[in-house]
Amino acid sequence: MGDSTRFLLYYASTSAFVRKVMISAQVLGLADRIERLDSAAHPVKRDERIATFNPLAKVPALRTPGGISLYDSRVICEYLNTVAGGSLFPTEGDARWISLTRQALGDGLIDAALLARYEFTARPATAQWPPWAEAQLTKVRAALAEIDAQSPTLSDQPDDIGVIAIGCALGYLDFRFADLDWRRDHPRAAAWFERLSQHPALRATQPSP
């Protein structure tokens, strides 16, 4: 397979949004066509390599075989789904809006968790604002309560972009917020996530430092 068929992706194994792209690619049978490019995305220290694809210098950022640069996991996942003729994005009726809203729920949880983490890892101690971090964790807890309520209706397979996004969000909490112990108060979500996590696409994309 020549280079003209490959996708170039600025990649970080610790990013939940990159993981979302890679799970989608695995499910869609496109993972072997993705060439992973090294990156060091940071909220303060800009990585100009990523900026060649994405002026915001954030991952994931992908260049298509045709030379188009795409960024934001939502855009990239929908693009890959279209290329593969997949069904991760329902196209009609209530199923579409439920799926997209679940994607927003998962992505929003990740965003809030990232902001809480950055408050203590990217800011100097004299500039940290604990109430801000706690406000973000309040959003995380509210999202967890909603996921727990919806978990009986969630697929145990990564066959929908909403399920993938929520799975990546919970995996990010395990990776970066182990002390949050989110399973304690959300047993239904915990049981669902345990089943989902057995899928090869999730096993293959476990975050690593």
Side-chain angles (χ1 to χ4, degrees):
M1 188 174 290
D3 289 344
S4 63
T5 68
R6 298 184 72 76
F7 311 99
L8 305 180
L9 177 72
Y10 276 108
Y11 175 91
S13 63
T14 57
S15 167
F17 291 120
V18 169
R19 187 183 189 194
K20 185 176 150 199
V21 168
M22 293 306 300
I23 290 174
S24 298
Q26 290 268 353
V27 171
L28 295 166
L30 297 175
D32 289 345
R33 290 177 56 186
I34 293 179
E35 181 177 338
R36 305 176 188 183
L37 306 179
D38 289 336
S39 69
H42 190 274
V44 178
K45 301 172 185 176
R46 182 177 173 87
D47 186 340
E48 292 295 346
R49 295 173 297 178
I50 306 170
T52 60
F53 288 9
N54 177 2
L56 303 175
K58 296 170 67 175
V59 293
L62 179 139
R63 182 160 289 168
T64 73
I68 299 172
S69 292
L70 304 176
Y71 36 92
D72 188 286
S73 65
R74 289 166 289 192
V75 175
I76 296 171
C77 289
E78 188 159 3
Y79 166 77
L80 294 176
N81 187 69
T82 299
V83 168
S87 56
L88 297 181
F89 290 79
T91 58
E92 297 180 352
D94 290 348
R96 174 171 175 77
W97 307 117
I98 291 170
S99 177
L100 294 179
T101 301
R102 284 173 171 166
Q103 178 179 213
L105 178 63
D107 287 357
L109 193 162
I110 297 167
D111 280 333
L114 276 171
L115 289 174
R117 173 174 164 75
Y118 286 161
E119 189 65 25
F120 298 113
T121 61
R123 288 181 182 271
T126 55
Q128 290 172 9
W129 187 16
W132 166 263
E134 182 56 34
Q136 303 311 313
L137 291 176
T138 296
K139 295 179 184 179
V140 168
R141 295 184 188 100
L144 284 168
E146 179 63 20
I147 293 167
D148 196 64
Q150 291 194 28
S151 58
T153 65
L154 295 174
S155 171
D156 291 348
Q157 302 296 313
D159 53 10
D160 174 277
I161 195 60
V163 165
I164 292 172
I166 290 172
C168 288
L170 297 181
Y172 184 75
L173 293 183
D174 281 349
F175 180 54
R176 292 300 196 193
F177 289 86
D179 58 342
L180 192 63
D181 192 16
W182 65 266
R183 288 173 174 79
R184 179 188 59 206
D185 296 324
H186 307 94
R188 292 178 296 183
W192 168 78
F193 184 56
E194 178 62 27
R195 296 190 298 271
L196 180 72
S197 295
Q198 304 310 308
H199 191 279
L202 275 85
R203 289 183 172 276
T205 56
Q206 288 280 359
S208 59

